[in-house]
């Protein structure tokens, strides 16, 4: 049925005939049984507010009222589901922003949890982290030293070729193309070495910052562990005091 309200219009009895009266009564009884059967089957009802701000309970919510929200109730009047009203554009924008903040906060909690678990699994003290940092940074610094050593060798070769070229010019001889090309190639390798040294330096700074962050986070974890130990000790002391106090 397409309406929340069921109206029954009995057929008038014409001519006072007994047969027509019986037929009409039987028809009315059948209609009542159908209506009551439909009502019995429709266990879920919908509660909403109409345009007159009146709360209405029915078997369906008119489409024009759906956006204002409604409640689904069972045959005992208990709310089993609430459908909120449709948000305005500004409200939806605010809700989306709030959702993003909640998602970011949840992601941060997961990140911190994974970080804490990794720290506690890998280290047992601040000294362990400092030792690991020294090893990691030591490897990077060795690489930088190697690159710098290669760069000094390249510069020495360039200086040798340049000295040879200067000597040839002093003697009035033309500097050969091979020697000039060698100088250019060596200078290109020196530029590559400079970029590699800069990259390694950035990496060293990032590793230093990461280990420092590990140390600071581990200190927080140690403080939390110490705080929990103190709280547990206080609770045990209170329990023992309560157990041995004859007044309690």
């Amino acid at each position: 049925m397409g309406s929340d309200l069921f109206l029954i219009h009995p057929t008038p009895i014409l001519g006072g005939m007994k047969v027509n009266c019986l037929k009409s009564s039987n028809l009315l009884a059948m209609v009542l049984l159908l209506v009551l059967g439909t009502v019995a089957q429709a266990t879920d009802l919908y509660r909403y507010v109409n345009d007159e701000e009146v709360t209405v309970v029915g078997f369906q919510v008119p489409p024009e009222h759906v956006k204002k929200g409604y409640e689904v109730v069972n045959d005992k009047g208990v709310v089993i589901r609430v459908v909120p009203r449709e948000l305005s554009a500004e409200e939806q924008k605010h809700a989306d922003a709030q959702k993003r903040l909640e998602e970011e906060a949840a992601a941060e909690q997961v990140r911190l949890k994974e970080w804490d678990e990794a720290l506690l699994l890998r280290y047992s003290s601040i000294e362990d982290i400092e030792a690991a940092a020294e090893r990691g940074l030591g490897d990077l610094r060795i690489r930088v030293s190697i690159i710098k050593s290669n760069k000094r060798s390249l510069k020495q070769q360039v200086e040798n070729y340049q000295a040879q070229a200067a000597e040839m010019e002093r003697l009035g001889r033309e500097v050969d193309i091979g020697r000039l090309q060698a100088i250019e190639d060596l200078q290109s390798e020196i530029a590559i070495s400079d970029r590699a040294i800069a990259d390694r330096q950035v990496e060293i700074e990032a590793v230093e910052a990461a280990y420092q962050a590990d140390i600071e986070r581990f200190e927080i974890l140690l403080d939390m562990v110490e705080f929990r130990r103190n709280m547990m000790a206080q609770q045990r002391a209170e329990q023992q005091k309560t157990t041995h106090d004859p007044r309690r």
Side-chain angles (χ1 to χ4, degrees), residues 166-178:
E167 180 64 19
M168 293 175 67
E169 289 177 347
R170 189 179 66 81
L171 297 175
R173 296 166 53 188
E174 184 178 356
V175 180
D176 58 283
I177 299 299

Side-chain angles (χ1 to χ4, degrees), residues 156-226:
Q156 184 61 51
Q157 294 180 56
V158 169
E159 290 173 359
N160 293 338
Y161 278 121
Q162 288 175 338
Q164 294 172 11
E167 180 64 19
M168 293 175 67
E169 289 177 347
R170 189 179 66 81
L171 297 175
R173 296 166 53 188
E174 184 178 356
V175 180
D176 58 283
I177 299 299
R179 190 171 276 102
L180 293 175
Q181 185 63 48
I183 294 173
E184 183 177 346
D185 292 343
L186 289 168
Q187 288 176 335
S188 297
E189 291 186 40
I190 290 172
I192 293 173
S193 298
D194 287 335
R195 289 194 295 271
I197 292 171
D199 291 342
R200 295 293 80 74
Q201 190 59 44
V202 170
E203 187 176 356
I204 287 173
E205 292 174 358
V207 171
E208 286 178 335
Y211 276 114
Q212 183 60 35
D214 283 349
I215 290 173
E216 293 173 359
R217 185 64 186 174
F218 199 81
E219 288 176 342
I220 293 175
L221 294 177
L222 291 179
D223 291 341
M224 292 172 62
V225 170
E226 185 64 24

Side-chain angles (χ1 to χ4, degrees), residues 49-206:
V49 178
N50 62 17
D51 293 334
E52 288 74 31
E53 299 301 322
V54 176
T55 300
V56 180
V57 178
F59 297 125
Q60 63 181 7
V61 182
E64 63 271 18
H65 296 307
V66 171
K67 64 181 180 180
K68 294 191 292 185
Y70 57 89
E71 296 175 335
V72 182
V73 299
N74 60 20
D75 55 354
K76 295 181 176 60
V78 178
V79 177
I80 58 178
R81 184 163 61 93
V82 176
V83 178
R85 67 178 178 83
E86 183 178 311
L87 300 178
S88 66
E90 186 64 27
E91 289 173 331
Q92 188 62 53
K93 181 180 178 181
H94 178 75
D96 292 341
Q98 183 64 30
K99 182 180 179 182
R100 284 194 298 272
L101 290 175
E102 292 173 355
E103 291 175 347
E104 291 172 359
E108 179 64 10
Q109 288 183 348
V110 171
R111 186 187 72 86
L112 290 176
K113 181 176 181 294
E114 293 176 348
W115 187 14
D116 294 346
E117 291 175 349
L119 288 174
L120 295 173
L121 182 65
R122 192 177 305 168
Y123 309 114
S124 59
S125 66
I126 298 295
E127 290 72 18
D128 289 346
I129 304 177
E130 292 173 342
E134 190 59 33
R135 289 193 298 271
L137 293 170
D139 291 340
L140 290 173
R141 291 180 180 123
I142 289 173
R143 296 178 192 175
V144 171
S145 297
I146 293 173
I147 297 172
K148 288 181 176 180
S149 176
N150 292 337
K151 177 184 173 181
R152 286 193 295 269
S153 176
L154 293 172
K155 288 182 67 176
Q156 184 61 51
Q157 294 180 56
V158 169
E159 290 173 359
N160 293 338
Y161 278 121
Q162 288 175 338
Q164 294 172 11
E167 180 64 19
M168 293 175 67
E169 289 177 347
R170 189 179 66 81
L171 297 175
R173 296 166 53 188
E174 184 178 356
V175 180
D176 58 283
I177 299 299
R179 190 171 276 102
L180 293 175
Q181 185 63 48
I183 294 173
E184 183 177 346
D185 292 343
L186 289 168
Q187 288 176 335
S188 297
E189 291 186 40
I190 290 172
I192 293 173
S193 298
D194 287 335
R195 289 194 295 271
I197 292 171
D199 291 342
R200 295 293 80 74
Q201 190 59 44
V202 170
E203 187 176 356
I204 287 173
E205 292 174 358

Side-chain angles (χ1 to χ4, degrees), residues 17-37:
M17 297 180 63
K18 185 177 181 180
V19 174
N20 288 341
C21 181
L22 290 174
K23 288 182 178 180
S24 298
S25 298
N26 290 337
L27 179 59
L28 178 59
M30 291 176 63
V31 171
L32 285 172
L33 287 173
L34 287 172
V35 172
L36 292 175

